[in-house]
Amino acid sequence: MRYARALLATALCGAACAASGSVARSSAALPGWPTPPALPAPRPVTDVYGSTRVVDRYRYFENLNDPTVQAFFRRQNAYARAVLAKLEPGRGKVLARIAALDNAGPTVTGVQRFGDRYFYEKRRPHENTLKLYVRSVGQNDERVLVDPDKLITKSGEHYTIEYFSPSFDGAYVGYGVSEGGSENATLHVVQTSDGTILPDTIDRAKYVGVTGWRPDGKSFYYMRFPKLGPGESPNDSELRPVSYLHTLGNDPDKDPAVFGIGVDPSLPFVPTDFPIVVTTPNSPYALGVIGHGVQNEQTVYAAPLDGVTSARVSWKKVADVADDVTGADVEGSTVYLLTHKDAPTYKIVATNLAAPDVARAQTVVPASDAIIEALSGAKDGLYVRARLGGFGQIRRVSYGPDFSPGTQTTTVTLPVQGAIGTLATDPRVPGATFDLVSWTTPQRYFDVAANGTVTDTGLRPASTIDTSDYTSEEALATSADGTKVPLSLVYRKNLVRDGTHSAYLEGYGSYGITIEPYFLGTRFAWLDQGGVWAVCHPRGGGWFGEDWHRAGMIATKQHTIDDFIACGRYLVAQQYTSPQHLAGEGTSAGGITIGRSITEAPRLFAAALDVVGVSDAVRSEFSPNGPPNVPEFGSVRVAADVAPLLNMDAYLHVVDGTQYPAVMLNTGINDPRVSPWELAKFAARLQSASTSGRPVLLRVDYDAGHGFLDTSRTQAEGLLADQFSFLLWQLGDPLFASIPQRIVVPNRINRRVTRAAAAPTRAGAIRIVLSQAHQTHLAATNRRERYQRRD
């Protein structure tokens, strides 16, 4: 009954805190260690979801302009940095190793092919940010087009390239830059020949930017968010985007709208829809694609390109959400569609845009055991990227007349086995560019010619990291319902399975996204310590296709949590590690995975990282990026979604008096995807509730957002050094053996609250009224807890 106890304890504390109005007690620290900052007083708010009442102690944290909240972030960050500083000199050694590995070779990403040129982002060793480059195919004439390091802000925040899109002739590149990791990009245009930045500047062009150039090479389509009107909340800033047509030299504020909400009343749009106009150099048609928030299934329209110049466009529907289309590529008058309609591992179908009929579309690539992930047209055929387990495949389908489907399908012979993340083509040029990578093999880029010959492009030189002492394997863990869950492991070849190794368990499990094998040079700073790196592929992700995704979303989201816990148990049972040496990590939507795992099975983990993670799922929908995520996680406005959302909310599952693992929560104050207040609320509850003596740290970066490629090298290396050092310290690595792990002396108020929660008859009028749906869920929770009792 952990869920019921958490809700009841929340209600009890809410009433007590409301009565007292005082600042919450702070915990003490071991002598010589920083004292945890006093938590600000709760200001309880009671919500009613269906017939369930929930008290939210820290609702006011959602106002990041509140001086008390701002002070909380500052004090928590200062405390986190002070604790991490006590990990020297071990942390310094970890940082030095990370820096050496991180600078062992360049990073290359986003490779695109246009004519006889590659366009890509690259960061050389010891450079701080990714720069935009151009290089001729087969030549060594690489040039920098855009260098964010040359941009200076008054606040000192760094700039990041968010996206780029070359014109069909490669003469211009539209690109977006943002500052401080905000992803709030401004669109600019650079001239390829000499690097001149044109005066065209378009703000509010975040996330997508240029979606398609026109054949004249002087105009393009782009998506832009509206200005907030009087009285509108910042939470409305990511609603109602519209696609416009811009001609170089024109005033962007006078650009004609061509696709989106309010443009054509006959086309149905909702505020969370993303309207995208897509073009290709060998087709007289434009596609109008509607992305429905984070939902994978799209609505697709088509219209003659010549007519897409104003609001009066003759759009013709090609596919709707019910057709389960997740990707499209138009060649000539033929549109190729990637769909999971009656095909959980996906298939490719084709229809003619002169009279599109997806119900009678021709199957071009049928479904098979391999998961079809992407399609991209070249002059010599349609290239298809697929995956079987962790290994990528590329097939080429020939064309018939006018780019209609041909009859021949060939499989490209790859130089090595590995995962494929990039598949880039130009429909005017035969062949394709792709990358190959594995857990222990660095990424390289290759070209495949029309005759099937594969050659190394040289875009990314070989890494100098020696990986010969390491190996990887694929395993299956058994989840609570008996489902076999894929688990990838990386470790030293001579590792002895005796339960003593520090293990890093990573998991995600949302949107159908798969963590495919990837090479991370800095990972070897962990492996060098004798550690194990493991990646769980839970339901909610896409390892086995769309059915695997839907088995871990909304009503079935508990499977994601069960699967991650099962992977942790597998590592323990097979003696790769033990609970005192096991750490878990979840990033972004993976915050649900790690947050609920440590609240459901706290004794399984010694430490955890919650990295820009969704931690308050019930309230996420009320953040700026919340509404687009409703298709994946549900809405509290929908009765059937309430119980699943309450179940996946880590913040609401914290129980006072529980011995939680050490937790480091990482957030960027400019995060546009997961609001920093989610992690702040979770951190406050964990700090007030935990009796383990292990630290709970909230590390804040004031020049960062959602992370990933939006941070500078200095930031990324510093964060990783803090994360690795924190985990290795708490897992008992010899590098930190002389430093005590339990540095917090908890106050005793939590145990009193827990005892009160165990005696609900004394609560008087303070009750949680559970609906029938919640009672059903709690019965299932009891069954899971019996299964998990060995934790």
Side-chain angles (χ1 to χ4, degrees), residues 668-706:
I669 206 67
N670 301 319
D671 193 336
R673 298 177 185 254
V674 177
S675 294
W677 53 256
E678 290 203 43
L679 293 103
K681 291 169 75 172
F682 192 30
R685 280 297 293 123
L686 286 170
Q687 287 180 352
S688 65
S690 181
T691 57
S692 68
R694 294 182 183 268
V696 174
L697 306 182
L698 177 62
R699 183 189 186 277
V700 186
D701 192 328
Y702 285 87
D703 183 25
H706 203 59

mmCIF file of all heavy atoms in Angstrom, residues 668-706:
data_model
loop_
_atom_site.group_PDB
_atom_site.id
_atom_site.type_symbol
_atom_site.label_atom_id
_atom_site.label_comp_id
_atom_site.label_asym_id
_atom_site.label_seq_id
_atom_site.Cartn_x
_atom_site.Cartn_y
_atom_site.Cartn_z
ATOM 1 N N GLY A 668 18.686 22.421 -15.533
ATOM 2 C CA GLY A 668 19.152 23.677 -16.115
ATOM 3 C C GLY A 668 18.046 24.701 -15.948
ATOM 4 O O GLY A 668 16.879 24.430 -16.264
ATOM 5 N N ILE A 669 18.373 25.867 -15.469
ATOM 6 C CA ILE A 669 17.343 26.841 -15.126
ATOM 7 C C ILE A 669 16.582 27.308 -16.364
ATOM 8 O O ILE A 669 15.460 27.819 -16.266
ATOM 9 C CB ILE A 669 17.952 28.043 -14.366
ATOM 10 C CG1 ILE A 669 16.902 28.702 -13.460
ATOM 11 C CG2 ILE A 669 18.588 29.035 -15.329
ATOM 12 C CD1 ILE A 669 16.451 27.851 -12.313
ATOM 13 N N ASN A 670 17.155 27.124 -17.573
ATOM 14 C CA ASN A 670 16.494 27.539 -18.807
ATOM 15 C C ASN A 670 15.809 26.384 -19.530
ATOM 16 O O ASN A 670 15.479 26.502 -20.709
ATOM 17 C CB ASN A 670 17.515 28.186 -19.758
ATOM 18 C CG ASN A 670 18.204 29.386 -19.155
ATOM 19 O OD1 ASN A 670 17.575 30.202 -18.485
ATOM 20 N ND2 ASN A 670 19.510 29.502 -19.364
ATOM 21 N N ASP A 671 15.597 25.284 -18.840
ATOM 22 C CA ASP A 671 15.040 24.087 -19.479
ATOM 23 C C ASP A 671 13.638 24.358 -20.019
ATOM 24 O O ASP A 671 12.718 24.652 -19.249
ATOM 25 C CB ASP A 671 14.999 22.938 -18.466
ATOM 26 C CG ASP A 671 14.731 21.585 -19.117
ATOM 27 O OD1 ASP A 671 14.148 21.549 -20.215
ATOM 28 O OD2 ASP A 671 15.106 20.556 -18.530
ATOM 29 N N PRO A 672 13.433 24.232 -21.354
ATOM 30 C CA PRO A 672 12.098 24.462 -21.914
ATOM 31 C C PRO A 672 11.245 23.203 -21.991
ATOM 32 O O PRO A 672 10.074 23.267 -22.344
ATOM 33 C CB PRO A 672 12.422 24.963 -23.323
ATOM 34 C CG PRO A 672 13.638 24.178 -23.706
ATOM 35 C CD PRO A 672 14.435 23.995 -22.415
ATOM 36 N N ARG A 673 11.827 22.046 -21.682
ATOM 37 C CA ARG A 673 11.113 20.778 -21.866
ATOM 38 C C ARG A 673 10.587 20.195 -20.549
ATOM 39 O O ARG A 673 9.454 19.752 -20.472
ATOM 40 C CB ARG A 673 12.021 19.764 -22.573
ATOM 41 C CG ARG A 673 12.432 20.217 -23.972
ATOM 42 C CD ARG A 673 13.395 19.245 -24.626
ATOM 43 N NE ARG A 673 13.871 19.732 -25.903
ATOM 44 C CZ ARG A 673 13.479 19.258 -27.092
ATOM 45 N NH1 ARG A 673 12.612 18.274 -27.141
ATOM 46 N NH2 ARG A 673 13.964 19.754 -28.208
ATOM 47 N N VAL A 674 11.441 20.158 -19.546
ATOM 48 C CA VAL A 674 11.018 19.722 -18.209
ATOM 49 C C VAL A 674 11.323 20.873 -17.255
ATOM 50 O O VAL A 674 12.488 21.187 -16.994
ATOM 51 C CB VAL A 674 11.747 18.442 -17.756
ATOM 52 C CG1 VAL A 674 11.325 18.074 -16.339
ATOM 53 C CG2 VAL A 674 11.462 17.289 -18.711
ATOM 54 N N SER A 675 10.285 21.494 -16.750
ATOM 55 C CA SER A 675 10.472 22.690 -15.931
ATOM 56 C C SER A 675 11.290 22.370 -14.678
ATOM 57 O O SER A 675 11.073 21.337 -14.025
ATOM 58 C CB SER A 675 9.120 23.267 -15.525
ATOM 59 O OG SER A 675 8.430 23.755 -16.667
ATOM 60 N N PRO A 676 12.229 23.246 -14.326
ATOM 61 C CA PRO A 676 13.082 22.992 -13.155
ATOM 62 C C PRO A 676 12.302 22.758 -11.870
ATOM 63 O O PRO A 676 12.791 22.071 -10.965
ATOM 64 C CB PRO A 676 13.943 24.258 -13.071
ATOM 65 C CG PRO A 676 13.974 24.802 -14.464
ATOM 66 C CD PRO A 676 12.632 24.476 -15.043
ATOM 67 N N TRP A 677 11.089 23.305 -11.779
ATOM 68 C CA TRP A 677 10.343 23.128 -10.528
ATOM 69 C C TRP A 677 9.970 21.672 -10.263
ATOM 70 O O TRP A 677 9.735 21.298 -9.110
ATOM 71 C CB TRP A 677 9.113 24.027 -10.475
ATOM 72 C CG TRP A 677 8.137 23.981 -11.610
ATOM 73 C CD1 TRP A 677 7.991 24.907 -12.596
ATOM 74 C CD2 TRP A 677 7.118 22.974 -11.853
ATOM 75 N NE1 TRP A 677 6.960 24.557 -13.442
ATOM 76 C CE2 TRP A 677 6.417 23.374 -13.014
ATOM 77 C CE3 TRP A 677 6.757 21.797 -11.220
ATOM 78 C CZ2 TRP A 677 5.359 22.624 -13.550
ATOM 79 C CZ3 TRP A 677 5.703 21.044 -11.753
ATOM 80 C CH2 TRP A 677 5.024 21.452 -12.890
ATOM 81 N N GLU A 678 9.894 20.840 -11.327
ATOM 82 C CA GLU A 678 9.577 19.428 -11.085
ATOM 83 C C GLU A 678 10.657 18.773 -10.230
ATOM 84 O O GLU A 678 10.364 18.038 -9.274
ATOM 85 C CB GLU A 678 9.441 18.680 -12.408
ATOM 86 C CG GLU A 678 8.201 19.063 -13.210
ATOM 87 C CD GLU A 678 7.792 17.972 -14.182
ATOM 88 O OE1 GLU A 678 7.815 16.790 -13.801
ATOM 89 O OE2 GLU A 678 7.455 18.314 -15.331
ATOM 90 N N LEU A 679 11.905 19.017 -10.566
ATOM 91 C CA LEU A 679 13.000 18.428 -9.799
ATOM 92 C C LEU A 679 13.139 19.083 -8.436
ATOM 93 O O LEU A 679 13.528 18.431 -7.456
ATOM 94 C CB LEU A 679 14.306 18.521 -10.589
ATOM 95 C CG LEU A 679 14.303 17.645 -11.847
ATOM 96 C CD1 LEU A 679 14.089 18.495 -13.089
ATOM 97 C CD2 LEU A 679 15.564 16.827 -11.968
ATOM 98 N N ALA A 680 12.804 20.380 -8.358
ATOM 99 C CA ALA A 680 12.885 21.075 -7.072
ATOM 100 C C ALA A 680 11.885 20.491 -6.078
ATOM 101 O O ALA A 680 12.209 20.258 -4.902
ATOM 102 C CB ALA A 680 12.635 22.569 -7.278
ATOM 103 N N LYS A 681 10.669 20.239 -6.535
ATOM 104 C CA LYS A 681 9.656 19.667 -5.653
ATOM 105 C C LYS A 681 10.071 18.265 -5.190
ATOM 106 O O LYS A 681 9.936 17.917 -4.005
ATOM 107 C CB LYS A 681 8.305 19.620 -6.376
ATOM 108 C CG LYS A 681 7.704 20.992 -6.631
ATOM 109 C CD LYS A 681 6.500 20.938 -7.573
ATOM 110 C CE LYS A 681 5.268 20.387 -6.891
ATOM 111 N NZ LYS A 681 4.061 20.534 -7.766
ATOM 112 N N PHE A 682 10.568 17.472 -6.125
ATOM 113 C CA PHE A 682 10.995 16.109 -5.793
ATOM 114 C C PHE A 682 12.159 16.135 -4.805
ATOM 115 O O PHE A 682 12.199 15.365 -3.833
ATOM 116 C CB PHE A 682 11.372 15.388 -7.075
ATOM 117 C CG PHE A 682 11.565 13.891 -6.938
ATOM 118 C CD1 PHE A 682 10.864 13.157 -5.995
ATOM 119 C CD2 PHE A 682 12.442 13.215 -7.784
ATOM 120 C CE1 PHE A 682 11.035 11.779 -5.884
ATOM 121 C CE2 PHE A 682 12.615 11.852 -7.687
ATOM 122 C CZ PHE A 682 11.918 11.128 -6.728
ATOM 123 N N ALA A 683 13.113 17.036 -5.031
ATOM 124 C CA ALA A 683 14.263 17.144 -4.136
ATOM 125 C C ALA A 683 13.824 17.523 -2.726
ATOM 126 O O ALA A 683 14.296 16.963 -1.727
ATOM 127 C CB ALA A 683 15.260 18.168 -4.682
ATOM 128 N N ALA A 684 12.907 18.490 -2.633
ATOM 129 C CA ALA A 684 12.443 18.916 -1.305
ATOM 130 C C ALA A 684 11.764 17.765 -0.560
ATOM 131 O O ALA A 684 11.977 17.572 0.643
ATOM 132 C CB ALA A 684 11.484 20.101 -1.447
ATOM 133 N N ARG A 685 10.937 16.983 -1.269
ATOM 134 C CA ARG A 685 10.270 15.866 -0.599
ATOM 135 C C ARG A 685 11.258 14.796 -0.175
ATOM 136 O O ARG A 685 11.156 14.246 0.925
ATOM 137 C CB ARG A 685 9.206 15.267 -1.532
ATOM 138 C CG ARG A 685 7.926 16.045 -1.574
ATOM 139 C CD ARG A 685 7.216 16.071 -0.222
ATOM 140 N NE ARG A 685 6.726 14.739 0.164
ATOM 141 C CZ ARG A 685 7.050 14.115 1.289
ATOM 142 N NH1 ARG A 685 7.875 14.665 2.165
ATOM 143 N NH2 ARG A 685 6.556 12.906 1.559
ATOM 144 N N LEU A 686 12.209 14.472 -1.036
ATOM 145 C CA LEU A 686 13.194 13.456 -0.678
ATOM 146 C C LEU A 686 14.029 13.902 0.517
ATOM 147 O O LEU A 686 14.305 13.113 1.433
ATOM 148 C CB LEU A 686 14.100 13.156 -1.874
ATOM 149 C CG LEU A 686 13.489 12.333 -3.012
ATOM 150 C CD1 LEU A 686 14.430 12.324 -4.222
ATOM 151 C CD2 LEU A 686 13.199 10.902 -2.561
ATOM 152 N N GLN A 687 14.434 15.161 0.530
ATOM 153 C CA GLN A 687 15.249 15.649 1.635
ATOM 154 C C GLN A 687 14.478 15.615 2.945
ATOM 155 O O GLN A 687 15.037 15.287 4.000
ATOM 156 C CB GLN A 687 15.720 17.075 1.334
ATOM 157 C CG GLN A 687 16.801 17.153 0.271
ATOM 158 C CD GLN A 687 17.246 18.579 -0.007
ATOM 159 O OE1 GLN A 687 16.652 19.533 0.489
ATOM 160 N NE2 GLN A 687 18.295 18.726 -0.811
ATOM 161 N N SER A 688 13.191 15.927 2.894
ATOM 162 C CA SER A 688 12.408 15.952 4.139
ATOM 163 C C SER A 688 12.005 14.556 4.592
ATOM 164 O O SER A 688 11.741 14.344 5.779
ATOM 165 C CB SER A 688 11.149 16.805 3.941
ATOM 166 O OG SER A 688 10.278 16.204 2.993
ATOM 167 N N ALA A 689 11.979 13.594 3.656
ATOM 168 C CA ALA A 689 11.440 12.271 3.976
ATOM 169 C C ALA A 689 12.499 11.227 4.289
ATOM 170 O O ALA A 689 12.279 10.336 5.106
ATOM 171 C CB ALA A 689 10.586 11.766 2.805
ATOM 172 N N SER A 690 13.662 11.303 3.654
ATOM 173 C CA SER A 690 14.625 10.210 3.730
ATOM 174 C C SER A 690 15.288 10.121 5.095
ATOM 175 O O SER A 690 15.670 11.133 5.694
ATOM 176 C CB SER A 690 15.703 10.370 2.657
ATOM 177 O OG SER A 690 16.622 9.297 2.718
ATOM 178 N N THR A 691 15.445 8.891 5.567
ATOM 179 C CA THR A 691 16.129 8.646 6.843
ATOM 180 C C THR A 691 17.387 7.801 6.654
ATOM 181 O O THR A 691 17.922 7.255 7.620
ATOM 182 C CB THR A 691 15.183 7.927 7.823
ATOM 183 O OG1 THR A 691 14.711 6.707 7.229
ATOM 184 C CG2 THR A 691 14.001 8.798 8.183
ATOM 185 N N SER A 692 17.876 7.687 5.433
ATOM 186 C CA SER A 692 19.046 6.842 5.171
ATOM 187 C C SER A 692 20.345 7.506 5.561
ATOM 188 O O SER A 692 21.371 6.837 5.727
ATOM 189 C CB SER A 692 19.097 6.474 3.689
ATOM 190 O OG SER A 692 19.378 7.622 2.903
ATOM 191 N N GLY A 693 20.344 8.831 5.677
ATOM 192 C CA GLY A 693 21.580 9.563 5.933
ATOM 193 C C GLY A 693 22.364 9.852 4.667
ATOM 194 O O GLY A 693 23.386 10.549 4.706
ATOM 195 N N ARG A 694 21.903 9.316 3.531
ATOM 196 C CA ARG A 694 22.586 9.587 2.257
ATOM 197 C C ARG A 694 22.109 10.929 1.694
ATOM 198 O O ARG A 694 20.956 11.317 1.882
ATOM 199 C CB ARG A 694 22.308 8.465 1.253
ATOM 200 C CG ARG A 694 22.904 7.107 1.651
ATOM 201 C CD ARG A 694 22.633 6.070 0.572
ATOM 202 N NE ARG A 694 23.102 4.737 0.919
ATOM 203 C CZ ARG A 694 24.301 4.252 0.604
ATOM 204 N NH1 ARG A 694 25.166 5.026 -0.033
ATOM 205 N NH2 ARG A 694 24.629 3.015 0.931
ATOM 206 N N PRO A 695 22.979 11.642 0.989
ATOM 207 C CA PRO A 695 22.632 12.986 0.535
ATOM 208 C C PRO A 695 21.634 12.994 -0.613
ATOM 209 O O PRO A 695 21.609 12.089 -1.451
ATOM 210 C CB PRO A 695 23.980 13.561 0.086
ATOM 211 C CG PRO A 695 24.782 12.360 -0.312
ATOM 212 C CD PRO A 695 24.363 11.259 0.630
ATOM 213 N N VAL A 696 20.820 14.029 -0.656
ATOM 214 C CA VAL A 696 19.968 14.353 -1.803
ATOM 215 C C VAL A 696 20.395 15.738 -2.261
ATOM 216 O O VAL A 696 20.252 16.720 -1.520
ATOM 217 C CB VAL A 696 18.479 14.343 -1.424
ATOM 218 C CG1 VAL A 696 17.630 14.829 -2.606
ATOM 219 C CG2 VAL A 696 18.046 12.948 -0.983
ATOM 220 N N LEU A 697 20.933 15.818 -3.473
ATOM 221 C CA LEU A 697 21.490 17.066 -3.981
ATOM 222 C C LEU A 697 20.694 17.556 -5.179
ATOM 223 O O LEU A 697 20.319 16.771 -6.053
ATOM 224 C CB LEU A 697 22.951 16.881 -4.413
ATOM 225 C CG LEU A 697 23.929 16.291 -3.394
ATOM 226 C CD1 LEU A 697 25.330 16.234 -3.989
ATOM 227 C CD2 LEU A 697 23.925 17.089 -2.098
ATOM 228 N N LEU A 698 20.441 18.852 -5.241
ATOM 229 C CA LEU A 698 19.844 19.493 -6.412
ATOM 230 C C LEU A 698 20.910 20.397 -7.030
ATOM 231 O O LEU A 698 21.215 21.461 -6.508
ATOM 232 C CB LEU A 698 18.606 20.300 -6.027
ATOM 233 C CG LEU A 698 17.935 21.075 -7.170
ATOM 234 C CD1 LEU A 698 17.428 20.126 -8.262
ATOM 235 C CD2 LEU A 698 16.770 21.931 -6.637
ATOM 236 N N ARG A 699 21.490 19.927 -8.129
ATOM 237 C CA ARG A 699 22.547 20.676 -8.812
ATOM 238 C C ARG A 699 21.917 21.480 -9.942
ATOM 239 O O ARG A 699 21.255 20.926 -10.825
ATOM 240 C CB ARG A 699 23.600 19.716 -9.381
ATOM 241 C CG ARG A 699 24.800 20.375 -10.050
ATOM 242 C CD ARG A 699 25.623 19.315 -10.755
ATOM 243 N NE ARG A 699 26.873 19.796 -11.306
ATOM 244 C CZ ARG A 699 26.994 20.408 -12.484
ATOM 245 N NH1 ARG A 699 25.917 20.660 -13.222
ATOM 246 N NH2 ARG A 699 28.184 20.780 -12.922
ATOM 247 N N VAL A 700 22.114 22.792 -9.926
ATOM 248 C CA VAL A 700 21.472 23.699 -10.873
ATOM 249 C C VAL A 700 22.528 24.355 -11.749
ATOM 250 O O VAL A 700 23.538 24.856 -11.242
ATOM 251 C CB VAL A 700 20.663 24.791 -10.134
ATOM 252 C CG1 VAL A 700 19.878 25.648 -11.132
ATOM 253 C CG2 VAL A 700 19.730 24.170 -9.108
ATOM 254 N N ASP A 701 22.290 24.356 -13.063
ATOM 255 C CA ASP A 701 23.164 25.078 -13.993
ATOM 256 C C ASP A 701 22.385 26.274 -14.513
ATOM 257 O O ASP A 701 21.337 26.113 -15.158
ATOM 258 C CB ASP A 701 23.594 24.166 -15.150
ATOM 259 C CG ASP A 701 24.736 24.770 -15.976
ATOM 260 O OD1 ASP A 701 24.782 26.013 -16.090
ATOM 261 O OD2 ASP A 701 25.556 23.998 -16.508
ATOM 262 N N TYR A 702 22.895 27.478 -14.252
ATOM 263 C CA TYR A 702 22.199 28.702 -14.636
ATOM 264 C C TYR A 702 22.518 29.136 -16.073
ATOM 265 O O TYR A 702 22.018 30.159 -16.532
ATOM 266 C CB TYR A 702 22.521 29.825 -13.644
ATOM 267 C CG TYR A 702 21.791 29.657 -12.333
ATOM 268 C CD1 TYR A 702 22.325 28.892 -11.301
ATOM 269 C CD2 TYR A 702 20.534 30.225 -12.140
ATOM 270 C CE1 TYR A 702 21.645 28.712 -10.113
ATOM 271 C CE2 TYR A 702 19.843 30.053 -10.946
ATOM 272 C CZ TYR A 702 20.399 29.291 -9.940
ATOM 273 O OH TYR A 702 19.710 29.108 -8.757
ATOM 274 N N ASP A 703 23.311 28.340 -16.785
ATOM 275 C CA ASP A 703 23.615 28.595 -18.191
ATOM 276 C C ASP A 703 23.304 27.337 -19.001
ATOM 277 O O ASP A 703 24.054 26.927 -19.873
ATOM 278 C CB ASP A 703 25.099 28.980 -18.345
ATOM 279 C CG ASP A 703 25.471 29.323 -19.792
ATOM 280 O OD1 ASP A 703 24.573 29.713 -20.560
ATOM 281 O OD2 ASP A 703 26.657 29.168 -20.153
ATOM 282 N N ALA A 704 22.188 26.694 -18.674
ATOM 283 C CA ALA A 704 21.855 25.439 -19.350
ATOM 284 C C ALA A 704 20.351 25.263 -19.392
ATOM 285 O O ALA A 704 19.601 25.910 -18.648
ATOM 286 C CB ALA A 704 22.502 24.247 -18.629
ATOM 287 N N GLY A 705 19.935 24.378 -20.286
ATOM 288 C CA GLY A 705 18.530 24.026 -20.409
ATOM 289 C C GLY A 705 18.347 22.540 -20.198
ATOM 290 O O GLY A 705 18.644 22.008 -19.140
ATOM 291 N N HIS A 706 17.907 21.859 -21.271
ATOM 292 C CA HIS A 706 17.605 20.435 -21.164
ATOM 293 C C HIS A 706 18.829 19.559 -21.402
ATOM 294 O O HIS A 706 18.722 18.332 -21.405
ATOM 295 C CB HIS A 706 16.487 20.080 -22.155
ATOM 296 C CG HIS A 706 15.731 18.844 -21.797
ATOM 297 N ND1 HIS A 706 15.058 18.701 -20.606
ATOM 298 C CD2 HIS A 706 15.535 17.681 -22.478
ATOM 299 C CE1 HIS A 706 14.478 17.514 -20.566
ATOM 300 N NE2 HIS A 706 14.757 16.869 -21.682
#
